[in-house]
Amino acid sequence: MSVFKDMKAISQGMWITWKHLLRKPVTISYPEVKRTPPPRYRARIVLTRDPEGGERCVACYLCSAACPVDCISLQAAERDDGRRYAAWFRINFSRCIFCGLCAEACPTMAIQMTPDYELCTRDIMSLLYEKEDLLVDGCGNDPDYNFYRHSGIGLVNPRGGNQDENPPVDVRGLAP
Amino acid sequence: MPGLIIDDIPVEVPAGTTVIEAARSVGIWIPHFCYHPALGSVGACRLCAVKLLDGPVKGIQMSCMLPVQEGMVVSTTDAEAQAMRRNVIEWLMINHPHDCPVCDEGGECTLQDYTIAGGHGLRRYDGKKRTYHNQELGPHIQHEMNRCIHCYRCVRFYQEQAGGTDFGVMGSGARVYFGRFKEGALDSPFSGNLVDVCPTGVFTDKTSRFRARYWDYDMAPSLCPGCSLGCNITPVARYRELLKIKARRNDGVNGWFICDRGRFGGREVNDPARPRAPRVDGVDVPWDQALDTFVLRLGELLATHGAGSLALVGSPRLPLEGQLLLARLAEIVSPGNVCWFTTAGEARGVLAALETLPPEGVASLADVRGAGCVVILGVDLLAEAPMMALAVRQAWRNGAKVYVMGISEWTFGSFLGISVTPVSSLDEVPPAERVKPVLIGNSRDLPSARVDEKLWGGARVALLQSGPNAVGAALLSVDHDGASLEELLASGRIKGVVAVEADIPGSWLAGIPFVAALDWRQTETVAVAQLLLPTTSWLEMDGTFINYEGRAQRFLKVMNPGIPLRGLDPTLHPPRIHRSVPPGGDLRPAWRLLAHLVERLGGRSPESPFTGRWERLRDLHPEGEGIMVYTHGSDSSEGGG
């Protein structure tokens, strides 16, 4: 009775086809309609600032070391007050794979991923983002975090002035 | 020779060796901070704990403080020893400022490595951290005392090894502080080694502060071109710029350390004014045109004035490859008119130095360190070859008597922290004191270095030379009857000079119609040359130097040639056009240029510069102690002297 078997198979297939024809589509007509990605979506990378408005990036090179496609390059330098910063910081978004390893490696929460995924352009050279393009006014995640308030080298707070520090010792003191 | 067992491996070492050294000799690495092969043990850090399972001593012991004894059974992997090491790391981290992202040591930090290795990731201690004030220690060394783990390596190097008196340890208990009594630049000419010996980031190189990380460094085994000692170094470069220089171990030469002059000098390679493009009559031209002009003008000169009118000049700072190719070029264009020295005195001194060495031979730096009596013949070692002075101090520490002739004994002695006896002649040194004697002089003033064989039997002599490859230049001068440019010019028939990395005074070249310079430095010679062919510096090529004792050592290319990124025209970086060489990077080593010219002028250039008796230098490895190419006496022909 293979004829009945075939008819059953065809009608089952047609049933599924018709069912889906009448369904509401899962796709949207981008760019007229835009989806809001979840807040932890990994797209355009930014450099954030600490709560006092200073650059969080200390140019430690961990992001460029973590980057599996070598799209981050930078040069560290020293400000007059001894603060370490990036003299230039460059992300080549034509190479970036948005894996988020740089943000994961960043010890100062400076480099963060944003949900802004609309980076397409016709000019590939414009995908080379310089520090001015990357730096934003804001803290992003961890809005209260300032690296220098936790690392004890006395740059934002005076030496020995962090919450978990004793004041500098008097090396010439005679007390036990 | 006591025998012991370390991790099931039987080891036999001389009596007096510590367990950590015995383990090292069979390739077992016991973590440590305070122990250093050159500085010895103090048992300050407590990290090198091992467990002795059986034998005369039992239980947890510090392997650096424990001399080996017959029958010891040592375990480095015992759970108790591992727990001890893990806890030591955790307590060393209690006061650490956790500032690795802004610390220059990050990436090359022993404390960082062992913290990871010990598995200490989460801070359990919630007390407060101890802090210190820093000191301003001059232009070379950056001080960040909060990172200190109190291993005492710095003060042991500075006071014991280098004899400095202005830096030490202060305070007591938990307030122990390493610094100067008052802020100020460190006096010792070896202060840069604090950066190398410090296992964490207390002392970092200020000249390369915040410039790069270890994993981005361009590094290769190299040699210091500062003087004729041939100290082994590891230069560190990034983005075509020399950032800093680190010492590289070579027990036959510099040991573990280098001097500040070698460490913080050598920055001419970063000079933006360095010659980077071929120049004809003051105008930058493409390479083809420059080489064509060279061949053309050379031909004109030889046709007009004859074969004897051209002088080819090398120098003691030219690597051996270039010196050898210069001799080959001379054979083709101007036989007999080749020299490797500029002034007659320099040539005489270096040549005579080779001849007058006593049969026992030359004193290496290791020989000086092991000497029983040192006589310094009118050389200001601290100015001319500081590492030799450091070797003299080690000899003094081992009980050697030090005599000086013709220099201020006060300056020399006080800078090194040693006691020296001034003498006015060699005879004044008591014969009883002449045990394993070493005489240190300079080839420049040779007569004073001449010694009486009978009285000074068995003496070794160290004669400083005028450049990192002066002995190479001298050996070639002997082979090719090279004299000096001064003598050639005095003959009056020289109408053209080809200067290969040679420093010829501009006034000497005033009347010469054809001057060509191959150099990487902006020298006086380069300034007056009508034709300039730029070459690579010693950091941008492989090469060979022969040091003052006749030891050939190889150095490798550290970085690519080109204008450093810092100081480069901002329009050129990031590069918007694709090019095969970086800006200013179209340079070749001098010997390659010379080989090319040999071919252009009708000769056949060899595949390798090392032919004939130099062949054994072809596969010379940069690691290791080098090859002696010059030995005095019967085997000199074999050695190539």
Side-chain angles (χ1 to χ4, degrees), chain B residues 574-605:
Chain B
R576 302 278 162 178
I577 46 162
H578 295 286
R579 36 161 100 219
S580 52
V581 283
D586 194 7
L587 305 175
R588 272 172 271 182
W591 77 268
R592 292 238 179 241
L593 276 178
L594 289 168
H596 177 84
L597 290 172
V598 165
E599 271 182 13
R600 288 285 294 268
L601 292 162
R604 227 170 37 121
S605 104

Side-chain angles (χ1 to χ4, degrees), chain A residues 152-153 159 164 166 172 175, chain B residues 99 129 131-132 146 175 181:
Chain A
I153 52 158
R159 284 186 82 79
D164 58 349
N166 284 319
R172 294 191 176 91
Chain B
D99 64 334
K129 296 177 186 174
T131 58
Y132 293 105
N146 283 357
R175 296 174 312 207
F181 189 70

